[in-house]
Each structure stands twice: as structure tokens, then as C-alpha cells.
Amino acid sequence: VQLQASGGGLVQAGGSLRLSCAASGSIFSINDMGWYRQAPGKQRELVATITSGGSRNYADSVKGRFTISRDNAKNTVYLQMNSLKPEDTAVYYCNADLVTASWAPPYDYWGQGTQVTVSS
């Protein structure tokens, strides 16, 4: 199983970016999917999660600015980031709580990370 993230880059404050993360490989089902981020010198923190049914959860720092969505048919999760701030600068990681077979327990998989840099 692989999670491939894309869409990071350099943007000015107030700008927008859209991250994508596609899961591929031996996938039976996917439960929660989400995005986390890690800034230099800081611990990895939750940004947003979405259940298979579409229920969303956001960190307070991104509420009203970021929107998480998913396409279950494509095993893909998205993060639309608007009104970006310099403090949003971090490496963003996607995550999937995923089942590889009917008999297998769920397991957390992580993408490779994509850099988001917001200049002031």
C-alpha cells in the first residue's frame, strides 16, 4: 500500500493551495483519512480528518480556512487550503486508516509528505 501526496508549494500569505493524496495497492476498505503537518522544531499535529461517511474534524487553527474532502471511488483525500498564513508553513502528511483484506485489522498508513511554504 502506498499513499502518494502532491500539491504542495510556495505561496504568498492569503493565497490558496490544494493537496491531494491517493492510496494505491492492496486495499479492501479505508476508514478515516486525514492530513497532519509538522513545522520545523515542532511535533506533528492534526490538521483535519474525514470519515468514510464524510464526517469532518478540523484543528481550531484551520477552521474556516481549510476544507477536507475525499473521493472514495478513487481512494483519494484532498485538502483545500485558503487564506494561508505564514504559520501554516510545514510538511503536510496524509494518513489513512486502511484495511488490506477482509480478515485483516485496520492499520495506519502515511504518505511521504509534501512541503507547504507560505511567505509573508
Side-chain angles (χ1 to χ4, degrees):
V1 174
Q2 283 191 325
L3 269 63
Q4 183 67 44
S6 62
L10 173 64
V11 65
Q12 287 188 331
S16 299
L17 283 174
R18 187 187 192 220
L19 306 183
S20 300
C21 176
S24 61
S26 179
I27 299 170
F28 178 76
S29 64
I30 304 178
N31 300 319
D32 293 1
M33 302 185 82
W35 290 94
Y36 294 71
R37 67 187 181 187
Q38 187 166 17
K42 295 188 176 181
Q43 289 189 331
R44 190 174 297 188
E45 64 176 5
L46 179 146
V47 176
T49 60
I50 184 169
T51 68
S52 58
S55 295
R56 297 168 172 86
N57 179 53
Y58 295 97
D60 288 342
S61 59
V62 307
K63 282 180 181 177
R65 301 188 297 121
F66 291 10
T67 301
I68 190 170
S69 61
R70 65 189 280 176
D71 184 332
N72 291 331
K74 295 181 179 180
N75 293 331
T76 299
V77 62
Y78 306 96
L79 186 68
Q80 177 66 43
M81 305 185 292
N82 298 329
S83 302
L84 282 160
K85 304 175 181 180
E87 50 263 44
D88 294 317
T89 296
V91 177
Y92 283 70
Y93 297 91
C94 58
N95 169 269
D97 181 46
L98 187 153
V99 178
T100 58
S102 59
W103 48 264
Y107 186 82
D108 260 356
Y109 290 86
W110 292 88
Q112 82 284 10
T114 184
Q115 177 71 45
V116 171
T117 303
V118 184
S119 63
S120 57

